[in-house]
Amino acid sequence: MSQQLRFIHLLYVPTMQCNMQCTYCYLGDSACDSRSPHGYLETLQYAVGKLHAASVVPFNISLHGGEVTTLPPDDFRQLVAYVSEYYDRHRLLLTSHGFRVGRPHIKTNLFGLDRHIDAIERYDVSVSGSIDLPLSMHRQHRVTRGGGDTLDRILCNVRLMERLQNPKKVSATLFAEHIEHMDEIISDIRYLHENTCLDMNQFNFMIGFRDPRSPGLTPMTQEQQLTLFDRMHEAFAGTDLQPGLDGAWFAEFSPAYCTNCDVCGDKFFLLERSGDVYSCVRGQGMPAFCYGNIYTDSVEDILARAHQKILAVHQQAGFDPACAQCGYLHLCKTGCPFVKHVYGESKSYTCLLQQRLYQKMGLEPSPAGYAREYLALVNPALADQYPPAEHADDGYPTLTSLLEADDKLRQVYADDIFVLCIDGVDHSLSSQLRKAFRDVAYLAPPSQVDLYIRCGTLEALADDPVNNALYIQLLSSNTVVYGDDRREKQEHVMTHMIYRSAVLRHPSDREGYHKVPLSPLLRLYYPALPADKPCNIFFTTTALRDYHYAKQRSNGFYHIRAMNLPFQNLEFICVPFQEDSSNE
C-alpha cells in the first residue's frame, strides 16, 4: 500500500432481506434478498482487499440492511468477527493516522436481535436500533410482513441487552403524523430512559422526508420541525437528559454530521452484497446515486464517479440566492444532495431547524463572500455571480494595494505556503484578512492533523535561517478582557515554536513541502478548548512575524488595515468522536 492513503466510511449491506414492513420504508419492495453468486462475507472481504490495493482504507465499517439480523447466525457471526479482526489487524495503521479504532457496529430494527445476542456480546458489537415514537405509533407503522405487532418483542430484546456492556442506542424517524402526539413522545422518552438499559442521552431524532419509494407518511414542515425542537427544550432543559438535548438528539443536523461535506461522495460509501456501490442508505437503489460495482469497476472509477455524481446533483439543484446571505452556508453546505434531488429544491429540507441549532450551539455566522468560494467548488458556473469579500470605502489604501507595493509583505500573506491536512482533507491556509469566507474544520481528539510547509518558507525574510522557526498560536473561542481599554479578545491557549532544523528532520510525503505532524501537540490542548464553538490556530514563521510587526510600526496605513494576528489561520470546532456517523 502506498503512503498517500485515503480514508473512507463504509456501510456494508450483506442482505436486503427484512423481517418487518414499515409503512414508510424507503426500500419498499426492494427489502427482500435476491439470489447472489457472492457470499455474505465474500463481497466485504473482496471489496476491502481491492480498496486497500488502491490505497483506500475504511476507517469505519458498519453493517446495515435490509435488516442484518435476518442473516443466519453463523453468517452473522462470521461478519462481525471479520470486522473485529479488521480493526485489530489495522489498529496501528488507523491510530497512526489519528483514527480511533472502533468495534463492529450494526444498524437494526431490533426485532431479531435475540437470534444473535451471543455473537453481539462476544465481539463487543455496538448496536444502533430503530424505534418509533410515540410507542403507540410504533405499533401502527412498524409491523411485521404479515401486519403483526413488533413492539413487545423489540422491548423484550431491549431488556435482553441489559447483559451487554456494548454501546447501545436507539433513534426515531419522525413525520408530521408522529409530532401530533408530542406529549406521548416526551412521556415515552422518559419511560425508555428510566425503565430500560437505554441511555436516552444517546438517542437520535431523524426527520423523515418525502421519498417517491415510500409515500406512506407526511413529511414535517420546517415550522413543525422547529416546534419539535422547541418542545424538546421546554420539556428536558435542566433535566438529566440535558446532555442528550444539547448533543446526540439533534446531532444529525449539526456540523459534525455528514451534512458538512462539500462533496459527500468523497467520503461516504455503501456497498451491497451484489457489489453495487451507492452513496449511503438514502441513495440505496437509486441509479443517480450508484457509483458502480466493486467486482466490475476499478476503485479509481468508482471514486471519480462518486465525486462527479454528487457534484451533478448539487449543480442540477441550483443555488438559492438566500443561501448567500444566510451566514451558515459554511456549515450546512445547502444540505443533503439526495433529499435535494428527490425534492427538486436547492436548499436543505431542514434549513430552519439547522439555523436554530447553530444559534443554540453558539456558532457564529460567516461573513459575506463565502458563497463565491463554495460555488467555485461545487457549481463554478454560478460563482462569478457573487462578489469576493474585500471592500474598502474609507479613502485609505486597501490591504491589497499595500501588498502589491511590498514584495516582502506579500510573502507574509502568501496563500500557498501552509496546507493543513485534517483526516486526509487539505485546507490551504490564508490570512483571515484576505479570506472571502470562513473555512471551518471539525476536529475530534483522534483526528490526524499534518501541516505542510512550502519549501523555502523557513528561509524567507530570515537573515539567519538557522534561528528561524515555525510559529504556531492556538486560541480558544473563550474571550478574555485585557488592557486599560478593557478590550475583549480570544483567549490564548498555546504558542509553540519549532526551529527550522527540527522541521527539516521530519520526513515528508509531498514533493516541495516539509511536513510537521501536529496531532500529538494538539491532543495536549483539547481539554482546554470548548466544544462546539470555533477556535483558531495560526501559522507563520518568526521571520515573517517580525516583518509584519516592523511594518505596522513604520506604515500607518498598514497599521489601520492589519491586526495583531493577520497570519495564515484555520478556524476549527472540537466535536466528540462519533463512532456511528451513518445516516438513517
Side-chain angles (χ1 to χ4, degrees), residues 188-199:
D188 287 343
I189 289 174
R190 290 189 177 121
Y191 170 81
L192 292 171
H193 187 62
E194 294 169 0
N195 296 281
T196 73
C197 63
L198 298 172
D199 176 4

Side-chain angles (χ1 to χ4, degrees), residues 462-523:
D463 295 332
D464 185 3
V466 173
N467 288 323
N468 199 17
L470 170 66
Y471 194 94
I472 308 171
Q473 285 188 280
L474 181 63
L475 278 65
S476 163
S477 59
N478 295 329
T479 58
V480 294
V481 177
Y482 75 108
D484 288 342
D485 53 1
R486 312 305 293 162
R487 285 184 293 164
E488 274 195 329
K489 68 172 186 176
Q490 281 189 296
E491 178 185 39
H492 282 251
V493 174
M494 172 270 286
T495 296
H496 192 80
M497 296 168 59
I498 307 175
Y499 280 83
R500 175 178 175 273
S501 58
V503 171
L504 299 185
R505 290 192 185 102
H506 286 289
S508 178
D509 53 4
R510 296 192 187 185
E511 186 176 354
Y513 285 85
H514 306 300
K515 177 181 178 180
V516 179
L518 293 183
S519 300
L521 175 65
L522 293 178
R523 286 179 191 135

Side-chain angles (χ1 to χ4, degrees), residues 7 27 32 48 50 84 158 172 208 295 308 401 425 560:
F7 292 88
L27 291 176
C32 58
V48 168
K50 191 169 181 176
S84 179
V158 168
Y295 285 110
Q308 291 302 321
S401 64
V425 177
I560 292 172

Side-chain angles (χ1 to χ4, degrees), residues 284-539:
Q284 196 175 357
M286 297 282 279
F289 293 87
C290 181
Y291 301 152
N293 186 287
I294 197 67
Y295 285 110
T296 59
D297 297 311
S298 70
V299 171
E300 292 76 13
D301 284 348
I302 290 172
L303 297 180
R305 198 174 292 123
H307 182 85
Q308 291 302 321
K309 284 203 168 192
I310 296 301
L311 278 185
V313 170
H314 284 301
Q315 291 168 8
Q316 185 176 12
F319 184 73
D320 192 319
C323 292
Q325 306 301 321
C326 169
Y328 289 124
L329 177 60
H330 68 296
L331 299 175
C332 88
K333 308 294 176 72
T334 71
C336 172
F338 176 81
V339 183
K340 288 167 64 176
H341 174 76
V342 297
Y343 274 34
E345 296 179 358
S346 58
K347 294 174 67 176
S348 172
Y349 78 113
T350 56
C351 175
L352 297 182
L353 175 61
Q354 288 173 258
Q355 291 184 36
R356 180 71 60 84
L357 179 62
Y358 300 154
Q359 292 165 2
K360 200 81 173 178
M361 295 172 68
L363 303 181
E364 296 181 2
S366 59
Y370 179 73
R372 182 186 181 94
E373 301 298 328
Y374 170 73
L375 290 169
L377 178 65
V378 301
N379 202 341
L382 301 179
D384 288 341
Q385 297 179 21
Y386 296 89
E390 186 179 32
H391 299 282
D393 54 7
D394 53 13
Y396 296 115
T398 65
L399 179 61
T400 298
S401 64
L402 291 166
L403 295 180
E404 289 173 349
D406 188 333
D407 177 66
K408 291 182 178 179
L409 196 58
R410 285 201 299 274
Q411 295 181 62
V412 175
Y413 286 84
D415 292 336
D416 60 350
I417 59 176
F418 295 113
V419 177
L420 199 62
C421 182
I422 301 174
D423 294 332
V425 177
D426 282 352
H427 300 265
S428 296
L429 305 186
S430 60
S431 166
Q432 56 188 334
L433 295 182
R434 302 278 290 162
K435 291 178 181 177
F437 68 99
R438 295 171 65 187
D439 182 12
V440 181
Y442 299 89
L443 297 183
S447 292
Q448 176 67 26
V449 184
D450 297 305
L451 179 69
Y452 290 90
I453 311 167
R454 191 184 68 193
C455 293
T457 301
L458 291 166
E459 292 75 33
L461 307 188
D463 295 332
D464 185 3
V466 173
N467 288 323
N468 199 17
L470 170 66
Y471 194 94
I472 308 171
Q473 285 188 280
L474 181 63
L475 278 65
S476 163
S477 59
N478 295 329
T479 58
V480 294
V481 177
Y482 75 108
D484 288 342
D485 53 1
R486 312 305 293 162
R487 285 184 293 164
E488 274 195 329
K489 68 172 186 176
Q490 281 189 296
E491 178 185 39
H492 282 251
V493 174
M494 172 270 286
T495 296
H496 192 80
M497 296 168 59
I498 307 175
Y499 280 83
R500 175 178 175 273
S501 58
V503 171
L504 299 185
R505 290 192 185 102
H506 286 289
S508 178
D509 53 4
R510 296 192 187 185
E511 186 176 354
Y513 285 85
H514 306 300
K515 177 181 178 180
V516 179
L518 293 183
S519 300
L521 175 65
L522 293 178
R523 286 179 191 135
L524 295 175
Y525 297 99
Y526 279 121
L529 301 175
D532 300 327
K533 293 183 179 180
C535 301
N536 238 315
I537 188 165
F538 291 85
F539 300 93

